[in-house]
Amino acid sequence: MSKAGVAKEENTAENVFQIAVKLPHHPYEIQIVVGTQEQVQDLRQSIMESPSTFQYSCFHLEHKNERINDFVELSEVPGFAAGSQLKLVEDPYTEKEARMHLIRIREIIGAAGNRVDTLHGISAGVSLHDTISPWKDTATPPAPADKTSSASLSGNQHALADYTFDGPPSIRTILPSNQDQPPKTIKSIGLSMWNPPPPYLRQQGHLLYLQLTTNEGEQYQITSHISGFFVNKSSNSKFDPFPRLPPKSSAAHSLFSLIKNISPSFSSSFDALLDLNNKRDPLANYQLTNAIPSSPWLVAPTVTSLSAHQPDLTRSQETYLMCGVENTETLRDWNEEIQSTKELPRETVQDRVFRERLISKIFAEFNEAAARGAMMVARGEIAPLNPTESKDAQIFVYNNVFYSFGADGVGTFTSEGGDEAARIAVGKDVCGVKTVNQLDIPGLATPGTIIIDYLGKRLVAQSIVPGIFKQREPEEHQVDYGGVEGRDVVADNEAFVSTFSQVSKALKVKKHPVWDKEGKKHILEGSVETKGLLGTDGRKYILDLYRLTPLDIAWLEEHCSDNAEESRSTKRNYPHRMTVLRPELVESYWRVQMGEYVKAEVEKRKANGDLNETPEASKDSQKKIINGHKSDETESLSEPKDQSEDHNAEQERVDMSAFSLALNPDVFCGQVPQTDEEKEEWANDEREVRNVCNHLHKKVIPEMIHDLKEGEVGFPMDGQSLSRLMHRRGINMRYLGKLADLSVEQDARLRALKALAMQEMVARAFKHVANGYLKNLPMAFAAESLAHLLNCLLGTGLNGGPKPHIDEDLQDFYKDADYSFTKVTPQSLKSDIETQIQLRYRYGLEENWTDEIKHLQLLRGIALKLGLQLTARDYQFGAETPGKNDQPKHLTNGSTPHSETNGHAHGNTSGKKKRKNGGRSSPTITNGSESASQQLTFTAEDIANLVPIMKDACPKSVLAEEALEAGKISMMQNQKEIGQELLLESLNLHEQIYGILHPEVARVYHQLAMLYYQLDEKSAAIELAHKAVIISERTLGIDSNETILSYLNLALFEHGNRNTHVAISCVRHALELWKIIYGSSHPDSITTLNNAAVMLQQLGGQHYHESRQWFEMSLTISEEVSGKLSVNTATLLFQLAQALVLDQDNTGAVHRMRDAYGIFRAKLGPDDPNTKESEKWLEQLTQNAVSMAKHAKDVQARRVRRVMLNHPRVTTLGARPQPQVGESPTSMVNDRDTRGGRGLDSRSIDELMRFIEGGGDISKGTPPKKRPTRGNPRHRGGGTAIGSTA
């Protein structure tokens, strides 16, 4: 973004003003705030969403009696300015607009009923936010402070009152509470049986015939006319679609107004509906447009009951209402739309916003349409174009989308691993398409691409490239650039060189030679597998992007063999050769090599005397260069630099033109160089690729394990977060086994990592096994198959020999189906999983691994990978009676679920349904083990639904990311004013481009909330944090790890704003979610427990004892995770000692502080500020304990005298939430010395402790020791490393 662009953005930000819109009906005029950069259609949408005007949908706007084009910006309207008046003019309806109006009014008045959506799943996009942490807009009065009245609002109770640290997880945590049923405004409305109008009436303006039944029981036949809607004279048996005569006549332009006129109770019931909707956050109600909502893996039993499905005749009519009679409105040329959108102008900021907004929209719509079609293909509902081919080779076209299976149906990948290689290749292809889309190179087109995993099948959906099916002449190649038939025939085309070279340069791909089967040399810009196709539309398409990076030769040489005999051995039988390196690894290696080059150049220039700079300056210069590749565009968003600074930086900058690093993706792929020079160059290319592999094995993987061990990065909570962490570091998932092997040290964090890696390997292996059984199985048997496989893995504790249930009558209809799942036993499944893990991850599970699994967490991981939606109930995984074996093994197995009364370990033993968590109620959940269906953990009825798992190629917005990065850089440079403007601009760009309900928007809300909180903009931070929670729940999942972090952030912000009861509710919910997705004692939960303890302290003295218990639990986990003698544990001992003082346990406080002092002294030395501070506290606490002990002895001896005890005052009760409890006690100590007039006891601490414990004489003493002054352990450098992400 140019400087002029920034200035323009600042000007447009100020062009926000209020205008008036004249209406044809009540209230006749409304005021709307608009910006000149908005389009007229945005203003139309605002009018349609306004509560006083949402009855309007078919209208246009006029300014000074001139009609305004809906697709221009408001700034382009002549004479439009602040205070302008627009006139809303009702338009005549078309048949399409009448249909859209009916759909919209049904939605608004709550008459749409429950839709059955095959793509989105059950309860998709649900949010629990309003029941956990209700929030009102900042315009409402703030909540009272905790000190005065917050505790009195709910007595002494709070959300953590009945929480147990080691209690089992409660699945009720992720179920929505029973909500009030919305009031019915009408009984029904839909198309009449007289619809559609006959041709002679259509000529008279009749569009639709509707039937309305009001709450009063009256039935009306309504005609939709080009002029509006009116009640006609038809009945169920007589057709007369003309208007009724007065006084029974009624007509209006809007269907909403017509219903309001003819139904007396409609207005009151509709107002009640609005009141109910207004109680929820609007974000929880909005429909998702540019993102597919998250489908929960557990759904409430009430949702799947027969009574949940309500009758609605119009539900079956919605396809017609949305698509028309001919169903032509859904047939779209996806490829042309995608390519023409990419070709939109991008010169100005407004152009880029408009373009990226449309790109996001078209990709979202394509992904949804493609996924729906893929599900139909997987279920066998679409006929193939080549029905005579084998099933894996069949291709399909539906809704202008091309489908094929991710299998080697035509033998393309025979030498690479067959079906396994083809499955991996299509997944890598989507990643490659996404990468090229992100590069956004002009003149280079990619087809819309998405892969869908459903019912055990992997399908590839692509937009149809013009000319891809064209039959070419015999001498012509099917593609224009790259390998035509494998590597045997290679095509050259100079037209593709310029565009392909841009891709290669960006992705560090080397321009290199390849040789065809005749030994002819061809120079290619990319891999020989990457193809270029000149479409009949004249565009250059890049296809088959699964080999953008080289092969992981280190893995192949160790675990894969070309020899069939050798490949059958257990050591070299990896299932495919498609083991490409990740682009993140190549980028990491490039950074390291560039850093070494810069260092060498700096040293060379220093040796030559050409560089006059300090070592620190050269280090800064190097850092600038290393990070410079991303700051090219973001620097232009920042404040202009001084020219002298630029000149100095130019002098210090190292010339990078001589540095280059590019990798040959075709090495180790069977290419045969011809000349000695070519062989030498090829050998160098191979050496470079081996260096990258060594970088992975010797630096990247060990560094990640080290960072996890030392707490430098947030510890993953589940398989998804572990996968993301590995991928960010450039580590493929095939290294899960190596990760587990390297995590064998006697360190609790590494033991937890090993357990998590093993759980992820088991879940992935089960997915592969289950897909093998599902692939050739009709959908009618999918639930039976999955239930049986789950019983064999997770239900053996209840039934060691589960038998599958299958409908034999139904089985006769599918003679060709594969029913081999019926032969699966727990022993055979265990063996299959062990084989898969050994095969794919090179890891051997221990013999008793089934005893160590976390049942609920593994079930969740499997459900998310297979797209299962299970009925929520207390699944019984073992034969033990519910309530036993509550104590989990920390960090290895903390989650054996069992039947509970109210979702907590010490619930109501009398069986009464009583809950003390903010009044939140939950649906009743029955235990399936009590049913009559054998003793099985899972039944087919528990598999409520299967949803597709999608991986798309939609790029992120470059513009929004640029603004966000520029804002962060400005904030780091202490340019707060411009930084805040850029952050706000980034927020606006994210919302404009993605729409509000999108995962990227949730992430930017999360980041900006933290930034605003650091800037002390608390109200803005809290608003963004609430929004981040809602959007995360609806798009990422109600129990995703990102949702948990959003709740923890929200808790800190609410506590900092003195809404501690709300903060505690958020902490409680986050901890309950933590139990579900990980189990007890997560390594990063220490910080959260500390924060909870601080929050309890702020609730008042009656909660000091509870606060102490939370500190003690935090210490227990720290001793397990970090060790009893670690600095982290010492810091927590220091904090616990302060909490014990508040709880009037001075003796315990002395013991804890002495332990902390000993650890600090041993680990950090006697001169460290932490050691000195803990020593000072120890002296003070010891003196207080001595005074108390002496007082107790005086009482025993009947020598009562008044003893003034000066307890250390821990003044953090009003501080902001943080892991550390105490603030610097120096002032307290000084106050004690000057105020009390009594000096410190001269004896040693050991002698004083013996006296406190009853073994010493108070008259004896030793010379005093000199004590140095102290600092505060809460300020030590590593203090915040405990659970940094929590």
Side-chain angles (χ1 to χ4, degrees):
M1 189 186 296
S2 64
K3 296 177 182 177
V6 174
K8 187 175 181 181
E9 285 299 293
E10 290 175 354
N11 291 333
T12 54
E14 297 173 1
N15 292 333
V16 176
F17 47 79
Q18 195 173 63
I19 62 167
V21 179
K22 296 286 186 181
L23 305 174
H25 308 291
H26 182 80
Y28 301 109
E29 183 177 313
I30 59 171
Q31 302 291 325
I32 292 184
V33 177
V34 297
T36 52
Q37 62 181 354
E38 292 182 20
Q39 290 192 334
V40 177
Q41 61 180 354
D42 295 329
L43 175 57
R44 277 180 55 94
Q45 194 64 30
S46 298
I47 293 171
M48 292 168 63
E49 292 175 356
S50 175
S52 57
T53 55
F54 50 44
Q55 67 265 35
Y56 300 105
S57 66
C58 185
F59 62 90
H60 71 267
L61 296 172
E62 293 183 356
H63 181 241
K64 297 180 180 179
N65 297 323
E66 293 288 332
R67 180 167 182 158
I68 305 174
N69 190 322
D70 288 344
F71 299 97
V72 301
E73 289 189 1
L74 292 173
S75 57
E76 299 175 21
V77 177
F80 187 79
S84 293
Q85 281 194 349
L86 298 182
K87 184 180 179 182
L88 186 149
V89 180
E90 296 173 333
D91 283 339
Y93 286 95
T94 63
E95 195 250 359
K96 178 181 177 181
E97 287 170 334
R99 288 188 279 107
M100 294 299 107
H101 185 78
L102 173 59
I103 292 173
R104 186 166 176 275
I105 295 302
R106 274 170 50 84
E107 292 281 356
I108 289 173
I109 65 176
N114 60 317
R115 284 200 177 97
V116 179
D117 196 312
T118 55
L119 174 63
H120 292 167
I122 304 169
S123 300
V126 69
S127 171
L128 307 178
H129 167 271
D130 288 344
T131 57
I132 304 301
S133 54
W135 171 74
K136 296 298 180 186
D137 196 273
T138 51
T140 59
D146 289 320
K147 287 186 177 180
T148 56
S149 59
S150 63
S152 63
L153 293 176
S154 57
N156 292 331
Q157 290 302 321
H158 52 81
L160 294 174
D162 58 348
Y163 181 82
T164 53
F165 301 106
D166 53 2
S170 170
I171 60 175
R172 293 166 181 79
T173 305
I174 56 176
L175 297 182
S177 60
N178 288 328
Q179 297 178 353
D180 297 333
Q181 289 297 317
K184 291 186 72 70
T185 55
I186 59 172
K187 287 188 176 179
S188 67
I189 185 170
L191 294 173
S192 165
M193 65 180 70
W194 301 113
N195 196 70
Y200 69 94
L201 290 175
R202 186 176 292 276
Q203 292 181 8
Q204 298 181 34
H206 291 212
L207 303 175
L208 300 172
Y209 297 132
L210 312 178
Q211 180 173 303
L212 165 71
T213 306
T214 65
N215 282 345
E216 292 81 13
E218 295 288 333
Q219 189 178 89
Y220 296 89
Q221 298 284 338
I222 297 173
T223 297
S224 171
H225 191 261
I226 56 174
S227 62
F229 297 82
F230 59 80
V231 178
N232 62 37
K233 294 185 282 188
S234 297
S235 66
N236 288 336
S237 58
K238 185 188 72 170
F239 179 59
D240 187 356
F242 297 100
R244 281 189 182 181
L245 299 175
K248 294 186 177 181
S249 62
S250 184
H253 186 267
S254 169
L255 182 60
F256 180 89
S257 302
L258 180 67
I259 298 173
K260 190 174 181 181
N261 292 339
I262 61 180
S263 174
S265 64
F266 175 79
S267 294
S268 59
S269 57
F270 182 70
D271 290 341
L273 177 66
L274 286 181
D275 290 341
L276 182 65
N277 289 337
N278 289 337
K279 291 179 181 177
R280 301 193 69 199
D281 192 287
L283 288 177
N285 292 328
Y286 289 158
Q287 286 189 349
L288 281 78
T289 53
N290 285 4
I292 292 179
S294 171
S295 298
W297 66 280
L298 283 178
V299 295
T302 52
V303 177
T304 58
S305 65
L306 296 178
S307 60
H309 196 55
Q310 297 296 318
D312 181 12
L313 183 62
T314 317
R315 184 166 47 225
S316 59
Q317 303 169 348
E318 282 190 341
T319 302
Y320 158 70
L321 289 172
M322 286 189 259
C323 308
V325 178
E326 304 297 332
N327 197 27
T328 56
E329 293 169 22
T330 57
L331 291 178
R332 300 166 61 177
D333 189 342
W334 293 110
N335 191 75
E336 181 60 32
E337 287 192 45
I338 291 172
Q339 308 311 332
S340 58
T341 303
K342 288 182 179 180
E343 292 166 356
L344 288 171
R346 57 178 94 178
E347 281 74 26
T348 66
V349 174
Q350 286 79 12
D351 288 343
R352 294 178 66 184
V353 171
F354 182 69
R355 177 177 176 271
E356 292 188 1
R357 180 176 171 183
L358 281 186
I359 287 176
S360 176
K361 182 176 183 292
I362 188 64
F363 269 104
E365 291 172 350
F366 169 77
N367 293 342
E368 183 165 339
R372 292 185 189 279
M375 294 173 70
M376 297 175 69
V377 171
R379 292 195 296 260
E381 297 175 13
I382 298 175
L385 298 181
N386 53 344
T388 58
E389 302 283 344
S390 65
K391 282 192 174 182
D392 287 343
Q394 289 177 348
I395 57 176
F396 308 80
V397 172
Y398 179 77
N399 196 8
N400 282 338
V401 180
F402 172 70
Y403 297 96
S404 60
F405 289 106
D408 192 24
V410 294
T412 306
F413 296 95
T414 302
S415 62
E416 306 291 333
D419 288 347
E420 287 284 352
R423 182 182 178 89
I424 297 298
V426 296
K428 296 296 181 184
D429 182 40
V430 170
C431 295
V433 173
K434 186 170 188 173
T435 302
V436 173
N437 284 341
Q438 194 66 51
L439 295 176
D440 202 11
I441 296 171
L444 187 62
T446 56
T449 309
I450 180 176
I451 59 174
I452 301 99
D453 291 326
Y454 184 62
L455 291 176
K457 305 173 183 70
R458 171 162 286 189
L459 288 117
V460 188
Q462 293 176 303
S463 61
I464 301 174
V465 176
I468 197 168
F469 295 128
K470 177 184 174 184
Q471 291 296 325
R472 302 200 178 192
E473 297 297 327
E475 66 275 5
E476 286 186 314
H477 298 312
Q478 283 298 109
V479 297
D480 299 290
Y481 189 78
V484 180
E485 299 170 3
R487 295 182 292 269
D488 293 341
V489 180
V490 180
D492 292 316
N493 191 325
E494 285 298 320
F496 284 86
V497 172
S498 60
T499 50
F500 271 53
S501 64
Q502 296 180 61
V503 177
S504 300
K505 183 179 180 181
L507 300 178
K508 321 293 188 297
V509 175
K510 182 180 180 181
K511 184 177 182 178
H512 63 281
V514 296
W515 297 265
D516 58 23
K517 63 181 178 181
E518 297 175 356
K520 184 180 177 182
K521 181 178 177 181
H522 304 266
I523 304 296
L524 295 182
E525 290 287 348
S527 167
V528 69
E529 304 290 352
T530 302
K531 301 170 178 59
L533 176 69
L534 189 62
T536 54
D537 57 357
R539 296 185 178 102
K540 298 169 190 171
Y541 290 88
I542 184 169
L543 308 171
D544 292 348
L545 296 168
Y546 51 83
R547 281 272 300 282
L548 292 177
T549 53
L551 294 177
D552 185 353
I553 187 59
W555 181 275
L556 281 179
E557 289 180 342
E558 184 177 358
H559 302 299
C560 195
S561 172
D562 294 328
N563 188 307
E565 290 294 329
E566 189 178 0
S567 67
R568 281 194 285 269
S569 70
T570 55
K571 291 186 178 180
R572 303 193 65 187
N573 61 344
Y574 195 68
H576 61 84
R577 294 181 57 83
M578 201 60 61
T579 56
V580 295
L581 298 169
R582 291 194 64 83
E584 296 92 342
L585 178 68
V586 175
E587 185 72 19
S588 168
Y589 180 73
W590 180 81
R591 286 173 180 272
V592 169
Q593 292 300 106
M594 188 174 64
E596 292 178 358
Y597 171 82
V598 170
K599 186 177 180 181
E601 287 295 307
V602 169
E603 293 297 329
K604 188 187 301 182
R605 290 169 64 177
K606 278 186 178 180
N608 296 335
D610 294 337
L611 189 63
N612 296 319
E613 61 177 4
T614 62
E616 289 77 9
S618 67
K619 191 173 181 181
D620 292 341
S621 170
Q622 178 181 340
K623 186 175 180 182
K624 288 177 187 175
I625 294 167
I626 292 175
N627 296 328
H629 77 287
K630 195 166 185 179
S631 63
D632 293 340
E633 294 174 276
T634 56
E635 279 186 358
S636 62
L637 293 173
S638 306
E639 200 171 68
K641 296 181 180 178
D642 189 7
Q643 290 184 355
S644 61
E645 292 179 5
D646 287 343
H647 182 68
N648 294 335
E650 193 66 36
Q651 286 184 335
E652 295 176 0
R653 189 170 291 123
V654 175
D655 180 18
M656 300 300 299
S657 60
F659 174 76
S660 66
L661 173 68
L663 302 175
N664 184 344
D666 288 325
V667 294
F668 308 112
C669 293
Q671 293 290 334
V672 182
Q674 304 297 312
T675 67
D676 291 340
E677 184 180 351
E678 291 169 353
K679 290 178 181 178
E680 183 181 355
E681 182 184 2
W682 204 259
N684 290 334
D685 291 345
E686 290 182 343
R687 192 178 306 113
E688 195 70 67
V689 171
R690 289 187 185 277
N691 290 340
V692 179
C693 296
N694 290 336
H695 174 68
L696 171 66
H697 287 266
K698 295 181 179 179
K699 183 175 177 64
V700 176
I701 295 177
E703 276 188 0
M704 190 185 99
I705 292 178
H706 175 268
D707 290 347
L708 286 170
K709 178 182 177 182
E710 299 300 324
E712 298 295 331
V713 295
F715 197 90
M717 300 182 191
D718 59 354
Q720 285 183 330
S721 51
L722 176 61
S723 302
R724 277 197 298 271
L725 176 62
M726 291 176 66
H727 287 166
R728 280 200 301 269
R729 300 285 181 116
I731 306 172
N732 300 85
M733 295 311 295
R734 59 178 171 269
Y735 285 101
L736 269 174
K738 185 177 181 68
L739 213 62
D741 282 329
L742 294 176
S743 303
V744 294
E745 296 182 30
Q746 294 303 311
D747 179 85
R749 291 180 74 92
L750 292 185
R751 288 200 304 274
L753 177 61
K754 180 180 178 181
L756 190 57
M758 286 174 57
Q759 177 179 301
E760 181 66 5
M761 285 189 285
V762 171
R764 287 173 175 262
F766 181 90
K767 177 190 71 174
H768 287 292
V769 173
N771 283 340
Y773 291 116
L774 288 172
K775 185 177 180 180
N776 298 312
L777 198 64
M779 185 178 181
F781 299 100
E784 285 86 351
S785 172
L786 289 166
H788 179 61
L789 293 174
L790 288 173
N791 281 325
C792 290
L793 177 64
L794 299 172
T796 54
L798 182 65
N799 186 339
K803 301 294 182 185
H805 292 265
I806 191 167
D807 189 335
E808 295 181 359
D809 294 334
L810 197 59
Q811 191 174 354
D812 293 337
F813 284 100
Y814 300 96
K815 301 289 187 182
D816 299 332
D818 180 10
Y819 300 103
S820 55
F821 77 90
T822 58
K823 301 175 183 177
V824 176
T825 65
Q827 293 74 26
S828 68
L829 180 61
K830 178 183 177 184
S831 176
D832 289 344
I833 289 175
E834 290 171 351
T835 301
Q836 288 289 329
I837 291 176
Q838 179 62 45
L839 186 69
R840 298 177 185 278
Y841 307 108
R842 302 290 140 176
Y843 185 77
L845 291 173
E846 298 175 2
E847 184 64 30
N848 62 337
W849 65 269
T850 52
D851 299 332
E852 297 297 321
I853 60 176
K854 305 178 183 180
H855 290 81
L856 190 64
Q857 286 73 26
L858 181 56
L859 175 62
R860 175 181 177 271
I862 289 170
L864 293 178
K865 286 175 175 56
L866 288 173
L868 304 184
Q869 288 192 287
L870 303 168
T871 302
R873 61 180 179 84
D874 291 318
Y875 290 104
Q876 192 171 346
F877 298 112
E880 67 271 7
T881 57
K884 291 185 180 180
N885 196 20
D886 284 355
Q887 299 295 329
K889 298 178 182 178
H890 289 307
L891 301 172
T892 54
N893 188 5
S895 58
T896 305
H898 57 264
S899 179
E900 304 166 10
T901 307
N902 64 355
H904 305 288
H906 49 247
N908 231 348
T909 55
S910 63
K912 295 180 181 178
K913 296 177 181 177
K914 185 177 180 182
R915 189 175 179 86
K916 298 179 181 179
N917 190 5
R920 178 180 166 196
S921 61
S922 298
T924 304
I925 302 176
T926 58
N927 195 326
S929 61
E930 297 172 0
S931 65
S933 58
Q934 272 195 14
Q935 282 290 311
L936 292 175
T937 304
F938 301 94
T939 64
E941 290 73 24
D942 292 326
I943 313 296
N945 192 27
L946 276 139
V947 294
I949 306 298
M950 290 169 276
K951 184 184 290 187
D952 63 51
C954 182
K956 293 183 180 180
S957 165
V958 177
L959 183 62
E961 293 295 324
E962 285 175 6
L964 180 61
E965 289 302 317
K968 290 180 179 178
I969 291 171
S970 298
M971 298 302 296
M972 287 189 291
Q973 295 173 347
N974 206 27
Q975 298 173 344
K976 291 188 177 181
E977 186 175 345
I978 188 172
Q980 284 184 283
E981 289 180 9
L982 287 165
L983 292 175
L984 184 60
E985 182 64 24
S986 169
L987 182 61
N988 292 334
L989 289 171
H990 274 86
E991 292 176 345
Q992 284 185 55
I993 291 168
Y994 294 113
I996 295 180
L997 295 173
H998 194 279
E1000 291 302 320
V1001 177
R1003 293 182 180 114
V1004 79
Y1005 279 157
H1006 182 82
Q1007 294 180 53
L1008 293 182
M1010 291 189 288
L1011 287 170
Y1012 277 120
Y1013 192 76
Q1014 292 165 7
L1015 294 170
D1016 208 27
E1017 298 279 350
K1018 291 184 179 179
S1019 59
I1022 290 174
E1023 179 181 350
L1024 290 172
H1026 278 280
K1027 290 181 177 180
V1029 166
I1030 298 173
I1031 302 172
S1032 295
E1033 286 184 324
R1034 300 197 64 194
T1035 60
L1036 298 170
I1038 52 177
D1039 60 348
S1040 74
N1041 67 303
E1042 292 181 64
T1043 300
I1044 292 177
L1045 294 178
S1046 294
Y1047 266 112
L1048 293 175
N1049 259 10
L1050 177 59
L1052 287 179
F1053 301 161
E1054 287 286 12
H1055 176 55
N1057 204 36
R1058 308 183 76 183
N1059 296 327
T1060 302
H1061 276 280
V1062 174
I1064 287 178
S1065 295
C1066 294
V1067 170
R1068 168 64 179 264
H1069 186 66
L1071 290 172
E1072 294 283 10
L1073 290 177
W1074 227 328
K1075 282 185 180 180
I1076 290 175
I1077 76 170
Y1078 178 84
S1080 301
S1081 305
H1082 186 275
D1084 282 353
S1085 62
I1086 299 168
T1087 304
T1088 303
L1089 299 179
N1090 266 359
N1091 289 338
V1094 173
M1095 293 173 191
L1096 288 172
Q1097 283 184 344
Q1098 286 208 8
L1099 291 182
Q1102 68 270 34
H1103 299 289
Y1104 285 163
H1105 185 69
E1106 290 176 88
S1107 172
R1108 162 188 176 170
Q1109 292 174 334
W1110 283 79
F1111 277 122
E1112 288 172 343
M1113 187 61 194
S1114 175
L1115 175 63
T1116 301
I1117 298 176
S1118 178
E1119 289 176 344
E1120 289 187 36
V1121 170
S1122 304
K1124 294 188 175 182
L1125 300 179
S1126 69
V1127 176
N1128 287 342
T1129 300
T1131 304
L1132 292 171
L1133 285 166
F1134 182 92
Q1135 295 170 284
L1136 177 57
Q1138 294 174 318
L1140 291 173
V1141 171
L1142 292 176
D1143 198 30
Q1144 306 298 317
D1145 185 356
N1146 286 273
T1147 303
V1150 172
H1151 282 291
R1152 295 298 190 182
M1153 192 61 73
R1154 184 170 58 176
D1155 293 342
Y1157 168 70
I1159 296 171
F1160 282 139
R1161 184 179 178 85
K1163 294 289 185 180
L1164 304 178
D1167 297 327
D1168 188 87
N1170 300 298
T1171 309
K1172 294 177 179 179
E1173 182 63 24
S1174 58
E1175 187 179 18
K1176 189 71 173 178
W1177 270 84
L1178 180 57
E1179 289 177 351
Q1180 185 64 51
L1181 295 174
T1182 303
Q1183 291 299 322
N1184 287 334
V1186 166
S1187 300
M1188 294 189 68
K1190 183 176 180 181
H1191 177 68
K1193 289 191 175 186
D1194 288 345
V1195 170
Q1196 286 182 349
R1198 297 293 187 269
R1199 291 177 288 121
V1200 181
R1201 56 187 175 134
R1202 184 177 181 84
V1203 179
M1204 300 296 294
L1205 298 178
N1206 295 311
H1207 296 294
R1209 295 187 303 154
V1210 183
T1211 59
T1212 56
L1213 298 185
R1216 287 189 291 179
Q1218 53 186 347
Q1220 291 76 17
V1221 179
E1223 65 177 13
S1224 177
T1226 307
S1227 57
M1228 180 274 300
V1229 175
N1230 293 339
D1231 183 51
R1232 163 85 165 90
D1233 292 340
T1234 57
R1235 184 185 58 218
R1238 296 178 55 192
L1240 295 177
D1241 197 293
S1242 62
R1243 288 161 298 164
S1244 71
I1245 293 174
D1246 290 336
E1247 289 176 326
L1248 292 172
M1249 285 304 302
R1250 284 197 298 271
F1251 169 73
I1252 294 168
E1253 293 165 357
D1257 188 345
I1258 198 167
S1259 62
K1260 297 179 181 178
T1262 56
K1265 291 184 180 180
K1266 293 184 95 176
R1267 306 293 184 192
T1269 56
R1270 323 293 178 234
N1272 193 343
R1274 80 185 184 95
H1275 293 307
R1276 68 175 182 77
T1280 57
I1282 312 172
S1284 56
T1285 61

